[in-house]
Amino acid sequence: ASASSKSVKRARDLYLKALEVDPKCSVAYLQLGVMESDIGNFDSARECFEKVLKFDQRNSRVLQAYALMESRREDADDRKVLDLFERALKANPKDGGVYQAYALFVVELGDIESARDLLRRGTEVSKRHAPVWQAWGVLETRYGTAKSARDVFQRGIWACAQPGGSQSGGRRCARLWQAWGVLESREGDPAAGRRCFSRALDADPRNVAAITAWASME
């Protein structure tokens, strides 16, 4: 057996051991289900998620992971995926991660307006969730206008700025500056792109995405 298959088996054994100790450990079921999904064991993953939902029906993270797993199946049922995302939002209407994942799936279905609405709602209920702002800005970069994308990135940076962070807003804002830099690069304004990438690295010097995007632009 390969090293990776051995490590998967070891992880699976540990998760199962945790579930022997606590048969209602949602986290263990969730992590086991995500691992099984990642290696393509979709039926095993589904079994994990279904077991959790028997005793923890309002766990939005489990419902989100379940939806993502179902979306990756070759025989994916889009209606089932949408239903799982809706259940996740009903379980926790303020979970920014669910809005982001739901919107990205809807983009794949080609419904840009519904995705935009989900991301807008996500920023309203989870104002400091930078990944939702980033996803919305990237959506506008690809399908909207540069002006609307800049507006989303700026609003996101204002919302996510951390007290005591750098002038660029702190680590949470780095991903927004990086995505804004990519926008300016695409718009043919390398000077503006450099300013954004510089701000991203001021916010988080270890932001590899900003470094590589800046290098690609140059």
Side-chain angles (χ1 to χ4, degrees), residues 24-158:
K24 290 191 175 182
C25 179
S26 297
V27 173
Y29 270 123
L30 171 59
Q31 292 177 347
L32 177 58
V34 169
M35 184 188 78
E36 298 291 8
S37 176
D38 286 345
I39 60 178
N41 292 341
F42 299 128
D43 289 340
S44 296
R46 179 187 280 169
E47 190 178 336
C48 289
F49 299 139
E50 285 290 349
K51 282 182 178 176
V52 182
L53 294 171
K54 283 183 175 138
F55 60 83
D56 192 3
Q57 297 175 1
R58 300 184 63 78
N59 191 316
S60 62
R61 292 303 165 92
V62 170
L63 288 161
Q64 176 185 329
Y66 194 173
L68 290 172
M69 181 277 290
E70 290 292 344
S71 74
R72 293 174 58 196
R73 299 178 70 106
E74 283 188 18
D75 58 344
D77 179 347
D78 292 344
R79 175 47 53 195
K80 179 169 186 176
V81 177
L82 292 170
D83 178 62
L84 285 165
F85 275 126
E86 284 295 329
R87 285 171 63 190
L89 284 185
K90 190 174 180 182
N92 185 355
K94 294 189 176 182
D95 190 333
V98 174
Y99 282 98
Q100 180 198 8
Y102 192 175
L104 293 178
F105 177 70
V106 170
V107 167
E108 289 181 17
L109 299 181
D111 190 348
I112 306 305
E113 200 52 50
S114 291
R116 181 180 282 121
D117 182 61
L118 282 164
L119 293 168
R120 178 189 56 75
R121 286 163 55 198
T123 62
E124 289 173 357
V125 300
S126 188
K127 291 183 173 62
R128 297 173 68 80
H129 195 281
V132 177
W133 286 105
Q134 180 188 21
W136 187 6
V138 170
L139 180 92
E140 298 301 344
T141 298
R142 292 177 181 166
Y143 303 103
T145 65
K147 183 179 182 300
S148 59
R150 289 186 189 104
D151 178 61
V152 170
F153 289 134
Q154 184 61 78
R155 288 166 56 200
I157 288 163
W158 285 335

Side-chain angles (χ1 to χ4, degrees), residues 141 145-146 149-150 153 178-188:
T141 298
T145 65
R150 289 186 189 104
F153 289 134
Q178 180 269 333
W180 194 345
V182 171
L183 164 68
E184 298 301 352
S185 175
R186 287 177 54 146
E187 289 296 303

Side-chain angles (χ1 to χ4, degrees), residues 165-181:
S166 66
Q167 283 191 325
S168 302
R171 183 172 297 176
R172 195 183 289 149
C173 294
R175 63 172 63 230
L176 296 168
W177 286 116
Q178 180 269 333
W180 194 345

